[in-house]
Amino acid sequence: MNDDVNHLTNDEGPGLPYRLFDPRSYYAERRWLVGSGGIGGKAKGFAFSHAALQDAGLEGEVRLPDKTYVLTTELFEEFMDRNDLWERVHSTRDANQIQELFLNGRFDDALSGVVGKILDDIGGPLSVRSSSLLEDDVHLAFAGKYTTCFAGNVGSPSDRVDEVLKAVRVVYASTFDLAAREYRRKHGIPRGTEKMGVLLQTLAGGYHDGLFYPEIAGTGFSKVTRRPSPRINKDDGLVRLCFGLGTRTVDRSFARTYYLTNPALRPDGTRPADIASRSQEKFDAIDLESGKLVTKGLEEKLAHVQKHHKMAQTYVQIFDGTMFHWIHADRDDMPFSRHIFTFEDFPRRFPQFFERVKKLFALFECRSQLPVDLEFTYETAGDSFTLVQMRPLAIYKDLGRVLVPDGLPEDKVLLRASNMIANGKIEGTRHLVYVDPDLYGKDTSFYEVARAVGEINEHLDGERYILVGPGRWGSSNPALGVPTRYGEISNAGCLVELGLCDKGMCPELSYGTHFFLDLDGDNILYMPVFEGMEDNTYNKRWFESAKWVAGGHPAVRHYEGTFDVFLDGETENGVVLAR
């Protein structure tokens, strides 16, 4: 098996150029390789993007991080052997125990000197990124399954080395994270085939009074399979932007989504209150004193943002509880005011940014013969665009239009949706699992609810069941939705998110996050249902009157019967039916 072709077979097909691309020379010529093993998928995508930009003459228009060193899989295997970890990590499913095994592991003594020289060469903050042999595959992205760490590269030489080697251990440990294990199990990847490379990459951004971060960070997707309106062209792609480090664009956090068919369209609606409730208010940065990742609030750092970012008025606004005002508006007459990142004027002031993203989508799709997923940073001063990652986009398998049956009895329609629908159907599934929104959040047992859902998910392995719950599945904030892990919803065939905005639990229609990439890669259908919205139905009476079996928590119910799901992505109409 050729590690550097990312374990793919050398078959004929549209992805041939990317599949056959040899990335080693890019790193070897720059003396950025440590070890003789495989370099993994993330390293391959980065080298491929450099070759494409160079051939197209775009190196002056699109920057790359100054340094990207690769700790090859040889070092991972040596670490596993040296610390006798191959069997030990599979003897437990306790995430804390797994990480402890790695944090206590020893490297070859010579590696400290090598890493010290790398840190001197990088000279500033860096990211410590996973680059496994299976990661960023043409078919399976492993999005979010492995860890990325940040290091400030501050302090004494020994402290800096220790910090980075600890981060490498954390990345190694994520190879055996329960979500990664479940993902491999679900997709039939044999145990022992995964090996981890690590990238030590210059962090794109700037120094701002003790903090380091990029002004804007984003992700881009050259294809859209889930769209808020039929007016969106699926081939135009989208971007998600946030202020600061890009952690908020890939997680189900608040970020601004732009569909490139029409960047003025807001998938979260046009009502100021809705926009305010789903807009970014905090940002992530590296604290240059401690070297750690920190989170700062916009209100707390407003003067800082205005001082260091002259175009802040294009993405920061004041919300007075009723309407928006520009950042320099007089606040004296406002009974209430809150600063938020709306990115409202960004498309008008920076049209060249969107044109550049379109150009990159076209270039990388043409060169790879695949849809692509990008990560980047952008500085408004100087129109500076830095590409951080390019990888194949594992997209949802759209099998063609699905027609929703006509004349459906309303008492049989359990749920109806009219937004973010992709074509798909499930007929005759026997199971529906439901988290009662009236009981969820009555106390602080949020995680017990998630574990109860996980127990049913494990029991229904092999069944494409329907999972219904309030707010966002997999939310990191349990007040916004059930904080399930990947392995606790992995067997679902359709996820339904109930939008109960009066309770503060609204789906975040964030196509392009790791959550949605998982749905696409796993062929899981998705429906957001907004209670009270036109053309949306939440048949609460059925859920209260139908027979159900209690789950492992009072809020969790398991219904057995015969259920169908029909999703028509052309008309944005989706239903869940009980026969």
Side-chain angles (χ1 to χ4, degrees):
M1 183 180 296
N2 183 345
D3 291 338
D4 295 325
V5 186
N6 232 25
H7 89 275
L8 295 170
T9 57
N10 187 13
D11 57 343
E12 299 295 325
L16 194 61
Y18 182 83
R19 291 174 177 177
L20 289 184
F21 177 75
D22 182 3
R24 289 193 70 88
S25 61
Y26 173 79
Y27 300 97
E29 290 168 2
R30 292 161 175 78
R31 298 184 177 180
W32 288 349
L33 280 177
V34 182
S36 59
I39 67 173
K42 199 166 287 180
K44 177 180 177 179
F46 187 76
F48 182 89
S49 67
H50 171 266
L53 290 169
Q54 188 175 50
D55 291 347
L58 292 178
E59 288 180 294
E61 187 175 342
V62 178
R63 298 181 55 190
L64 297 175
D66 294 336
K67 313 283 183 182
T68 301
Y69 285 87
V70 182
L71 307 184
T72 69
T73 58
E74 178 187 23
L75 276 68
F76 172 77
E77 294 182 84
E78 288 179 353
F79 183 86
M80 296 293 291
D81 290 336
R82 178 185 300 275
N83 297 284
D84 191 28
L85 289 174
W86 291 107
E87 293 302 322
R88 293 169 71 193
V89 295
H90 288 288
S91 66
T92 178
R93 292 182 60 83
D94 186 305
N96 292 327
Q97 287 184 13
I98 292 170
Q99 187 155 115
E100 185 177 353
L101 287 173
F102 281 84
L103 291 177
N104 291 333
R106 296 181 299 106
F107 285 103
D108 185 296
D109 292 339
L111 185 60
S112 292
V114 173
V115 169
K117 291 179 180 179
I118 291 173
L119 297 183
D120 288 342
D121 189 34
I122 289 176
L126 66 150
S127 57
V128 182
R129 314 186 74 191
S130 65
S131 184
S132 79
L133 296 186
L134 299 178
E135 198 170 3
D136 297 351
D137 189 334
V138 171
H139 302 293
L140 299 174
F142 278 82
K145 299 299 174 294
Y146 303 128
T147 297
T148 290
C149 299
F150 299 98
N153 201 8
V154 297
S156 70
S158 61
D159 287 344
R160 293 188 290 125
V161 170
D162 288 346
E163 178 187 28
V164 168
L165 288 182
K166 178 180 178 181
V168 172
R169 291 182 178 95
V170 171
V171 173
Y172 282 175
S174 70
T175 313
F176 304 97
D177 182 83
L178 299 184
R181 284 198 213 178
E182 171 63 12
Y183 195 79
R184 292 194 293 267
R185 183 203 68 80
K186 181 171 181 177
H187 293 284
I189 298 171
R191 174 176 161 178
T193 59
E194 178 66 300
K195 297 181 177 68
M196 182 64 73
V198 175
L199 305 186
L200 305 181
Q201 187 176 69
T202 306
L203 193 60
Y207 294 89
H208 307 290
D209 283 351
L211 297 177
F212 185 95
Y213 57 88
E215 182 180 14
I216 307 295
T219 54
F221 304 87
S222 66
K223 290 286 185 288
V224 178
T225 54
R226 304 171 194 274
R227 52 187 179 166
S229 166
R231 294 176 291 163
I232 298 299
N233 187 332
K234 295 181 180 181
D235 293 325
D236 287 344
L238 64 81
V239 295
R240 276 173 58 81
L241 302 183
C242 73
F243 182 89
L245 291 172
T247 48
R248 293 173 186 273
T249 63
V250 294
D251 293 333
R252 297 202 79 187
S253 301
F254 295 125
R256 176 65 193 268
T257 300
Y258 292 102
Y259 291 84
L260 298 189
T261 299
N262 179 8
L265 178 68
R266 293 201 75 118
D268 46 8
T270 58
R271 293 178 62 244
D274 291 342
I275 294 171
S277 69
R278 300 168 195 170
S279 292
Q280 179 189 1
E281 295 184 74
K282 297 179 180 180
F283 67 96
D284 296 327
I286 301 297
D287 183 292
L288 293 172
E289 183 176 351
S290 67
K292 304 299 183 183
L293 179 70
V294 294
T295 298
K296 300 292 184 180
L298 176 57
E299 289 291 351
E300 166 200 357
K301 303 298 289 186
L302 178 63
H304 170 99
V305 171
Q306 290 180 288
K307 173 185 175 182
H308 291 280
H309 305 289
K310 302 306 181 187
M311 300 305 293
Q313 69 268 20
T314 67
Y315 48 78
V316 175
Q317 287 183 287
I318 303 171
F319 180 58
D320 69 1
T322 302
M323 61 185 294
F324 288 109
H325 306 268
W326 297 113
I327 191 173
H328 299 300
D330 185 355
R331 301 169 64 182
D332 291 341
D333 294 331
M334 296 181 195
F336 166 86
S337 65
R338 185 169 116 218
H339 286 86
I340 55 179
F341 294 104
T342 63
F343 289 89
E344 183 63 28
D345 204 32
F346 194 81
R348 185 182 69 84
R349 297 297 295 268
F350 300 104
Q352 71 275 14
F353 166 85
F354 294 93
E355 292 304 316
R356 186 173 296 126
V357 172
K358 291 177 183 178
K359 187 187 299 184
L360 291 177
F361 283 164
L363 169 65
F364 293 136
E365 280 201 343
C366 178
R367 281 296 301 264
S368 66
Q369 298 182 21
L370 294 162
V372 295
D373 165 357
L374 310 180
E375 292 184 18
F376 52 81
T377 66
Y378 185 67
E379 304 292 334
T380 59
D383 184 35
S384 178
F385 188 104
T386 300
L387 183 68
V388 175
Q389 178 177 301
M390 192 290 298
R391 65 183 179 188
L393 176 60
I395 63 171
Y396 176 79
K397 299 175 182 63
D398 191 334
L399 301 179
R401 184 173 181 183
V402 172
L403 296 178
V404 176
D406 293 327
L408 296 172
E410 283 305 310
D411 63 326
K412 299 296 183 182
V413 177
L414 308 187
L415 301 151
R416 187 187 299 275
S418 61
N419 203 304
M420 289 289 283
I421 301 297
N423 291 321
K425 66 180 178 180
I426 298 174
E427 294 185 275
T429 187
R430 297 178 297 153
H431 302 277
L432 185 150
V433 179
Y434 171 74
V435 174
D436 186 339
D438 291 333
L439 296 179
Y440 179 78
K442 283 287 189 182
D443 54 34
T444 59
S445 59
F446 305 111
Y447 296 94
E448 287 84 347
V449 173
R451 303 298 90 83
V453 170
E455 290 174 5
I456 298 176
N457 180 77
E458 184 175 3
H459 176 70
L460 295 179
D461 185 20
E463 297 274 356
R464 295 195 76 199
Y465 71 94
I466 301 166
L467 180 58
V468 182
R472 308 173 203 172
W473 286 110
S475 174
S476 58
N477 180 350
L480 302 179
V482 186
T484 47
R485 300 183 291 247
Y486 170 79
E488 292 170 327
I489 59 176
S490 57
N491 294 318
C494 178
L495 291 183
V496 178
E497 294 187 329
L498 292 175
L500 306 169
C501 298
D502 60 331
K503 296 184 178 182
M505 290 185 285
C506 286
E508 213 265 303
L509 305 182
S510 49
Y511 178 73
T513 60
H514 291 156
F515 173 82
F516 279 100
L517 292 179
D518 277 342
L519 298 189
D520 287 352
D522 290 352
N523 199 30
I524 297 174
L525 307 182
Y526 170 76
M527 274 181 56
V529 176
F530 293 88
E531 185 180 35
M533 181 180 289
E534 185 179 0
D535 297 325
N536 282 237
T537 297
Y538 166 36
N539 190 344
K540 189 172 182 179
R541 178 178 296 180
W542 184 91
F543 287 101
E544 294 297 332
S545 61
K547 293 182 179 179
W548 48 273
V549 177
H553 185 279
V556 180
R557 301 177 182 179
H558 182 179
Y559 299 83
E560 294 191 36
T562 305
F563 306 99
D564 301 323
V565 181
F566 296 96
L567 304 182
D568 182 350
E570 302 307 310
T571 63
E572 296 291 310
N573 182 21
V575 296
V576 174
L577 308 173
R579 292 189 194 176

